[in-house]
Amino acid sequence: ALYALFILMAGVVLGELIRGVLIGSMGFLIWRFGIVRQMLCHHLRDGMALARAARHEEALKAFARSSESWENRKRIDNLRGILLGSASRWPFRHLSRYNEAWCLVRLGHDDDARVSLDALLREQPDMSIARELRASLDPVPEGTQPPAAAPNRDRDSDRDREPLGITRPLRMRC
């Protein structure tokens, strides 16, 4: 829809269909890849790259910057489908906060992750991935079986940092 809007605007301004399609397409590409990806989402992209490289402390800082910047742009975030061409189910500010909590879990700061996820779930109660990550941090009561997808919470194992089998932060299409 955003792409069509760029073409329509260029066609109306230029008064020619072919040139409108070409100029509108170029305008959309500049907007989508130049402005949106490189300027509005650069903290997010940095955080994702750092998390993939297992540099969780640095990724945590990048996701915190992303969360802060999206808190300052709530109106744009709420209209992300129209203005940014994003089909993300949840606002970027909430996804950034989820990824912050994910990094906290990877770093072994489970208590901080619980606090962060509880605050996030108060704002976005239908965010299932945050509920799953939060549930993975709760101790399993004695004599009960952990959920099948739950990882081994043995502190000597590498798998204990893999909440519910989630092995990487949630990627946001920005």
Side-chain angles (χ1 to χ4, degrees), residues 2 14 17-18 20 22-24 40 42 57 61-62 86-87 93 97-98 100 104 113 123-124 128 133 138 173:
L2 187 60
L14 296 173
L17 180 63
I18 300 298
L22 292 173
I23 300 297
L40 295 177
H42 71 280
E57 192 73 42
K61 292 175 186 172
S86 171
R93 64 187 180 276
R97 289 173 53 199
Y98 166 82
E100 285 180 67
L104 287 167
E123 286 183 50
Q124 191 75 42
S128 57
L133 182 59
D138 291 333
R173 294 284 176 177

Side-chain angles (χ1 to χ4, degrees), residues 26-76:
M26 287 187 337
F28 175 78
L29 291 174
I30 290 168
W31 169 254
R32 188 71 179 96
F33 294 102
I35 306 297
V36 174
R37 289 187 67 144
Q38 298 301 321
M39 294 176 73
L40 295 177
C41 295
H42 71 280
H43 296 305
L44 162 69
R45 293 170 52 80
D46 292 347
M48 294 304 297
L50 291 165
R52 279 193 295 271
R55 294 167 53 189
H56 303 295
E57 192 73 42
E58 295 168 71
L60 177 63
K61 292 175 186 172
F63 288 133
R65 287 190 303 269
S66 176
S67 179
E68 183 181 325
S69 68
W70 285 111
E71 278 296 326
N72 295 329
R73 299 186 207 122
K74 283 184 182 179
R75 186 165 299 186
I76 293 172

Side-chain angles (χ1 to χ4, degrees), residues 105 110 113-114 117 132-139 153 161 163:
V105 171
D110 291 358
R114 279 186 194 93
L117 288 165
E132 289 173 8
L133 182 59
R134 176 62 180 91
S136 75
L137 298 174
D138 291 333
R153 297 293 289 177
R161 300 278 38 107

Side-chain angles (χ1 to χ4, degrees), residues 7 60 84 121:
I7 290 175
L60 177 63
L84 307 178
L121 287 168

Side-chain angles (χ1 to χ4, degrees), residues 6 10 30 34 49 66 75 88 97 109 122 126:
F6 270 86
I30 290 168
S66 176
R75 186 165 299 186
S88 176
R97 289 173 53 199
H109 303 296
R122 277 192 295 276
D126 67 330

